[in-house]
Amino acid sequence: HIYMGYPESMVEWNDLFRSIMMCRDVDEEIAQISTDDFFREFCQDAEYAKDFSAADMKAVMDTAHLLRVHEILNNDRDACSGRDSEEDNENTLVSEKKDAKKVIIGKRHIIEAVKKTRPSLLPKDWRMLHRCYKPFMSHDVVSFGGRENQSNTDMAMAENMAVRLKTSLR
């Protein structure tokens, strides 16, 4: 397993959400949003979203995608039955290419998806997980070059650190 930690700041949160979001087709309004503003734009009424993991953020985008797909299907069904759609030309957010539709996610789909998604771990569970992984997470940098100049104590520490780093895949 590879441990993907939780974002530790709003900068990390925004960067992670942007990375996950860029794997999807989004409309121009979303593409124009500054990287620093994703949390503010999408999570205004959902303060709990700051506790989202990367998997939770992916779930938000999956939910937004499904919301858009259901919207397209309902609009297509309404068009086939001759009923007017409640939304003004909503199918403009669908790109047709050789009879295949490309689902383009809008800002309101992401906002609704954030409201429907909850963090996968409660704060107490997150603390427990963090305590379990803490022995494997080392922020010390170990240089393995120039071993002939290292003392026995330094080499023992480096070997111990190498085992910890190898175990944690860091």
Side-chain angles (χ1 to χ4, degrees):
H1 298 288
I2 296 176
Y3 177 73
M4 176 70 173
Y6 280 71
E8 295 178 3
S9 68
M10 275 295 114
V11 172
E12 285 183 12
W13 194 100
N14 284 312
D15 190 48
L16 185 57
F17 194 79
R18 181 191 55 79
S19 297
I20 292 168
M21 190 180 65
M22 289 300 132
C23 296
R24 302 291 181 139
D25 295 314
V26 295
D27 66 11
E28 284 297 316
E29 180 183 12
I30 295 174
Q32 300 296 329
I33 297 173
S34 166
T35 302
D36 298 337
D37 294 335
F38 287 126
F39 185 84
R40 187 174 52 78
E41 290 286 332
F42 300 127
C43 307
Q44 296 166 349
D45 299 328
E47 185 64 26
Y48 59 84
K50 70 180 177 352
D51 296 327
F52 280 172
S53 67
D56 298 331
M57 292 180 194
K58 183 178 181 317
V60 166
M61 291 308 296
D62 291 345
T63 302
H65 185 262
L66 288 174
L67 288 169
R68 182 63 184 125
V69 167
H70 284 280
E71 192 174 84
I72 292 167
L73 292 174
N74 288 339
N75 287 341
D76 287 349
R77 186 184 63 217
D78 290 345
C80 288
S81 66
R83 288 184 277 164
D84 289 334
S85 174
E86 294 176 11
E87 309 201 9
D88 297 334
N89 201 9
E90 190 63 33
N91 282 330
T92 58
L93 292 177
V94 179
S95 171
E96 295 188 26
K97 184 178 178 182
K98 295 184 181 179
D99 296 329
K101 291 184 178 182
K102 184 176 174 181
V103 178
I104 300 174
I105 300 170
K107 181 178 176 181
R108 64 188 174 82
H109 302 112
I110 295 174
I111 291 171
E112 187 176 343
V114 166
K115 290 177 183 177
K116 291 182 175 201
T117 306
R118 295 289 179 259
S120 54
L121 289 177
L122 296 171
K124 71 176 188 125
D125 296 329
W126 180 87
R127 286 190 298 274
M128 184 188 75
L129 177 72
H130 188 68
R131 278 194 310 271
C132 290
Y133 275 101
K134 192 173 184 176
F136 300 105
M137 296 185 297
S138 172
H139 298 289
D140 297 328
V141 178
V142 177
S143 172
F144 293 102
R147 288 186 137 201
E148 62 280 353
N149 295 332
Q150 293 179 338
S151 69
N152 287 339
T153 307
D154 290 343
M155 286 185 62
M157 184 185 82
E159 287 173 4
N160 182 33
M161 196 62 72
V163 171
R164 290 176 66 196
L165 290 174
K166 182 177 178 184
T167 304
S168 68
L169 296 174
R170 279 190 147 214

